[in-house]
Amino acid sequence: GQQVMQIPQYQHVQEGEDFTTYCNSSTTLSNIQWYKQRPGGHPVFLIQLVKSGEVKKQKRLTFQFGEAKKNSSLHITATQTTDVGTYFCAGRESGTYKYIFGTGTRLKVLA
Amino acid sequence: KAGVTQTPRYLIKTRGQQVTLSCSPISGHRSVSWYQQTPGQGLQFLFEYFSETQRNKGNFPGRFSGRQFSNSRSEMNVSTLELGDSALYLCASSSHRDQETQYFGPGTRLLVL
């Protein structure tokens, strides 16, 4: 079946540094969603990307969907302690239509 | 609008018992999905329901089952609990028009002893 891998698995950064997580799917995605899960919380929807090569920004967060629609990235500029959590990408598996989550990247921000 | 609610929030069971978890979606949402989250396996898809019909099922044994009612509320049942079933069970709802965006409830944390 389809796999959606994210790298890195963990990332520790100093407050103010930038952070990027990469999401790679083994098959083409029709669209992709990003979620954030705070420690002890549940995933919260951040954004959806639909078009090939699409770039969207939310304040310090920049999301990109690859040209082949098989990969995506989330970049955070000047991290803050409030950015701590696990970031997941997700999308529909082609064929079975199951909604698959990426493996997640856990971000820790050191003050 | 009220968010997705799940009951109970915490549960302790012993091996061999069965458990039923409940999920009430956001008002107007007709699609409900269930996920199992564990530290080792991440977020694993269990099943998805839309208008009382199971649309999709993940790779879990038959001990895991679910259903959806006419008011879109959903339940999932796990029979013959095993230690490995200890996890956070998350329910998510989505609207008919934008079925990709999932709105998650707080989850039910199940501990099997």
Side-chain angles (χ1 to χ4, degrees), chain A residues 89-103:
Chain A
C89 62
R92 288 280 177 188
E93 182 179 60
S94 52
T96 67
Y97 210 60
K98 292 176 187 176
Y99 196 69
I100 305 294
F101 275 80
T103 48

Side-chain angles (χ1 to χ4, degrees), chain B residues 23-66:
Chain B
C23 170
S24 292
I26 291 172
S27 177
H29 284 194
R30 295 166 62 188
S31 178
V32 173
S33 298
W34 288 89
Y35 299 86
Q36 181 195 65
Q37 187 172 35
T38 58
Q41 297 297 317
L43 270 163
Q44 299 290 311
F45 170 74
L46 279 157
F47 19 68
E48 179 182 5
Y49 289 90
F50 180 78
S51 293
E52 301 179 68
T53 301
Q54 187 179 87
R55 292 181 67 197
N56 233 316
K57 190 175 188 304
N59 300 323
F60 279 82
R63 300 185 296 107
F64 291 81
S65 63

Side-chain angles (χ1 to χ4, degrees), chain A residues 10-20 60 75-84 106-111:
Chain A
Y10 302 96
Q11 183 82 62
H12 292 184
V13 298
Q14 287 291 137
E15 189 174 21
E17 290 182 339
D18 292 355
F19 159 78
T20 303
R60 296 178 295 104
H75 179 83
I76 301 178
T77 304
T79 54
Q80 300 175 358
T81 54
T82 53
D83 295 326
V84 164
R106 185 181 297 178
L107 172 65
K108 192 168 186 175
V109 180
L110 308 171

Side-chain angles (χ1 to χ4, degrees), chain A residues 17-103:
Chain A
E17 290 182 339
D18 292 355
F19 159 78
T20 303
T21 173
Y22 299 91
C23 171
N24 297 291
S25 171
S26 57
T27 59
T28 302
L29 301 168
S30 56
N31 50 50
I32 196 163
Q33 293 76 44
W34 282 91
Y35 296 82
K36 175 184 177 182
Q37 184 173 21
R38 294 181 185 273
H42 57 275
V44 174
F45 172 75
L46 292 176
I47 207 160
Q48 173 171 283
L49 303 170
V50 178
K51 299 176 186 174
S52 169
E54 188 172 11
V55 178
K56 284 189 176 180
K57 292 191 175 185
Q58 283 182 353
K59 297 182 181 178
R60 296 178 295 104
L61 278 60
T62 302
F63 303 84
Q64 190 164 9
F65 201 9
E67 292 290 340
K69 301 184 82 173
K70 294 178 71 172
N71 55 70
S72 181
S73 65
L74 157 59
H75 179 83
I76 301 178
T77 304
T79 54
Q80 300 175 358
T81 54
T82 53
D83 295 326
V84 164
T86 302
Y87 293 85
F88 293 96
C89 62
R92 288 280 177 188
E93 182 179 60
S94 52
T96 67
Y97 210 60
K98 292 176 187 176
Y99 196 69
I100 305 294
F101 275 80
T103 48

Side-chain angles (χ1 to χ4, degrees), chain B residues 94-106:
Chain B
S94 56
S95 67
H96 175 66
R97 286 180 300 171
D98 182 18
Q99 289 184 345
E100 306 296 10
T101 303
Q102 309 261 310
Y103 296 90
F104 283 82

